Amino acid sequence: MPKKLRSIILVDDNETTSFLNNRLLSRLDVAEKVHTFRKAEQAFQFLWGDDSDLEESDATPALVFVDLKMPGMDGFEFLKLYDALPDQSKAKTVMAVLTTSMHAADTARVAQYPNVEYLAKPLTEEKMEKLLKKRF
């Protein structure tokens, strides 16, 4: 595996899924820090909100996993906000959708965003290794 990532953000309203993903990432020892959020609004504010310093590369996550189906702001709204960020901000972070949805309409909507990975739950060691080799 490549060197450790700065940080990974998990955005999923399902506590069990977040717990299992966090445990997998800890076992694989792929990141210095893993942050979990149950609400996409909170995650986006933490990452790119008004008081967030976009130039501070240590605070910028290397990888963000976001679920599509969540109450409040869903993954599609999160991706839309992410897509509106300046290119230099997006270049520092790999965005990955991690979802149970394999609907053609959902995959087509996500495909509109360049460089966003689409992964089916559950997150596994094999999927993580493949993603790391491809994007890091």
Side-chain angles (χ1 to χ4, degrees), residues 93-119:
T93 302
V94 172
M95 183 66 63
V97 168
L98 183 60
T99 184
T100 56
S101 176
M102 290 291 111
H103 294 236
D106 289 345
T107 55
R109 276 180 76 185
V110 172
Q112 294 173 352
Y113 299 100
N115 297 319
V116 173
E117 299 295 325
Y118 197 100
L119 299 165

Side-chain angles (χ1 to χ4, degrees), residues 29-117:
D29 199 27
V30 293
E32 297 295 329
K33 296 178 192 167
V34 177
H35 299 279
T36 52
F37 293 90
R38 292 184 66 198
K39 295 180 185 276
E41 300 93 336
Q42 291 173 335
F44 196 87
Q45 188 63 35
F46 173 80
L47 294 167
W48 299 292
D50 301 334
D51 52 357
S52 182
D53 184 1
L54 295 176
E55 298 306 311
E56 189 183 338
S57 63
D58 289 346
T60 306
L63 177 59
V64 175
F65 287 108
V66 65
D67 189 17
L68 289 180
K69 311 289 185 191
M70 294 182 286
M73 180 192 289
D74 65 12
F76 292 113
E77 292 172 83
F78 189 90
L79 288 176
K80 188 175 180 181
L81 289 173
Y82 169 77
D83 194 51
L85 291 171
D87 287 341
Q88 74 265 20
S89 298
K90 291 188 288 190
K92 297 175 186 175
T93 302
V94 172
M95 183 66 63
V97 168
L98 183 60
T99 184
T100 56
S101 176
M102 290 291 111
H103 294 236
D106 289 345
T107 55
R109 276 180 76 185
V110 172
Q112 294 173 352
Y113 299 100
N115 297 319
V116 173
E117 299 295 325

Side-chain angles (χ1 to χ4, degrees), residues 112-129:
Q112 294 173 352
Y113 299 100
N115 297 319
V116 173
E117 299 295 325
Y118 197 100
L119 299 165
K121 287 181 182 178
L123 185 61
T124 63
E125 184 172 350
E126 293 76 26
K127 289 175 188 173
M128 196 63 203
E129 284 177 7

